[in-house]
Amino acid sequence: DPVLDEAHTLKLPVNDAARWQRWGGLAATLVLGLAGGFIARGWIATTPSRPPIAREVALAHAAYVPEVRHPVEVAAAEEQHLVGWLSKRLATPIRAPSLATAGYNLLGGRLLPPTHPGDPAPMALLMYENAQGRRLSLLVKRESTNAETAFRYADDGPTRVFYWIDGPLGYALAGDLPKEELQTIARLVYRQLNP
C-alpha cells in the first residue's frame, strides 16, 4: 500500500527539558538493569545448585506417594518381572534392594520418562512402604555426565533426598523423614548395591 509507505511530515516540538527527562529516564533504566544483573548473577553464583536427579526424585515422590490405588505400575508380587523390565528399559542391570531391616517393604515400581533431552534412557522408580504407610522412593537413572560419587543431600520442602553416582547409574532416595533416618536407609541401599 503506497500510502503506508509514505514518510510522515509531522514535526513534533521537543523542548530541552523533555529531551533531558527522556535521556535521564533511559540512563536510570540502564543503570538499574545493570545493577540488577550483577546482583542476580552474584545470587545465582552463590546459590548451591541441585543436580537434576535430586529434583526428579522429589517430583516423582510427590506425584506418586499420595496415590492409594496406583502408586506403582508393577507390584512387588512381580518383583522379578519388575526388575527385568526396568533393567531392559534402562539398558543396564538394576536391583531392588531390600529395606526390611529398616522396616520398609518393596511396594513396586514404575518407569519414568527422561526429563531432559540429553538423558540417555528413561528412569526407574522403586517405591517402599512401612507398616505405618510411610513411603520412600528410590530413583535409578543412567548418569553419564556426573563423576561425583559422594553422598549428597538436598531437601525440597518436607521431602528430603540423598543421592549418589555409582558407575553408570545415579541413585536418589527420597522420603518425608528426618535427615538422619533417611541417611541411614540410603547407606543400607548403597551397601546392598555394592556388597
Side-chain angles (χ1 to χ4, degrees):
D1 189 359
V3 175
L4 288 177
D5 292 334
E6 287 181 9
H8 71 79
T9 58
L10 298 175
K11 301 283 185 201
L12 299 174
V14 177
N15 62 26
D16 286 339
R19 183 178 296 135
W20 282 110
Q21 283 179 341
R22 182 174 58 225
W23 284 109
L26 287 172
T29 301
L30 179 64
V31 168
L32 288 174
L34 287 172
F38 283 116
I39 291 169
R41 184 174 181 262
W43 179 78
I44 290 169
T46 59
T47 302
S49 62
R50 181 174 45 201
I53 192 169
R55 184 73 176 145
E56 290 160 347
V57 74
L59 291 172
H61 183 77
Y64 295 112
V65 161
E67 289 291 327
V68 176
R69 294 188 63 189
H70 303 286
V72 295
E73 285 180 272
V74 180
E78 298 180 71
E79 182 177 345
Q80 187 175 359
H81 165 68
L82 171 67
V83 171
W85 172 56
L86 294 174
S87 294
K88 181 179 178 182
R89 292 303 306 271
L90 270 66
T92 190
I94 66 165
R95 290 187 280 172
S98 171
L99 303 182
T101 57
Y104 288 85
N105 295 313
L106 181 66
L107 191 59
R110 66 173 53 244
L111 188 69
L112 299 175
T115 56
H116 298 92
D119 284 347
M123 301 176 288
L125 184 71
L126 301 172
M127 191 172 290
Y128 296 82
E129 186 175 57
N130 69 6
Q132 293 77 36
R134 182 170 277 178
R135 293 177 176 172
L136 298 173
S137 299
L138 177 63
L139 184 85
V140 183
K141 74 180 278 191
R142 292 186 62 84
E143 276 288 346
S144 59
T145 58
N146 193 349
E148 180 64 49
T149 59
F151 267 48
R152 298 284 183 219
Y153 172 78
D155 58 35
D156 196 331
T159 302
R160 291 170 180 80
V161 177
F162 274 95
Y163 58 96
W164 65 97
I165 306 300
D166 187 17
L169 297 176
Y171 297 91
L173 182 69
D176 303 332
L177 304 175
K179 179 180 177 180
E180 296 76 22
E181 186 178 348
L182 187 65
Q183 183 177 26
T184 301
I185 298 170
R187 290 188 188 283
L188 175 64
V189 170
Y190 180 79
R191 281 193 304 271
Q192 288 188 45
L193 297 173
N194 299 283

